[in-house]
Amino acid sequence: MKRKAQGAIEYLFMIAAALVIVLIVWRQISGRGSKASEIADTAENQISSELQQEIGG
């Protein structure tokens, strides 16, 4: 009976470790995605202002 309980606990620990790894990866990917979005917005604003200067000036 103890072996079954030990096996079940080890299985639960492995699932918990896998979930922690998935959450860490997810957080890294979402953080980089938002940073890329900020960079794209900044570039878009800069290009738009330069085009307005060329057209208006």
Side-chain angles (χ1 to χ4, degrees), residues 23-54:
L23 289 174
I24 290 171
V25 169
W26 183 345
R27 186 170 180 171
Q28 289 293 322
I29 289 173
S30 67
R32 291 179 188 196
S34 64
K35 186 170 246 185
S37 176
E38 289 177 20
I39 292 171
D41 288 341
T42 303
E44 181 184 1
N45 290 337
Q46 184 178 5
I47 290 170
S48 177
S49 67
E50 288 179 11
L51 284 174
Q52 286 178 355
Q53 287 177 355
E54 288 292 324

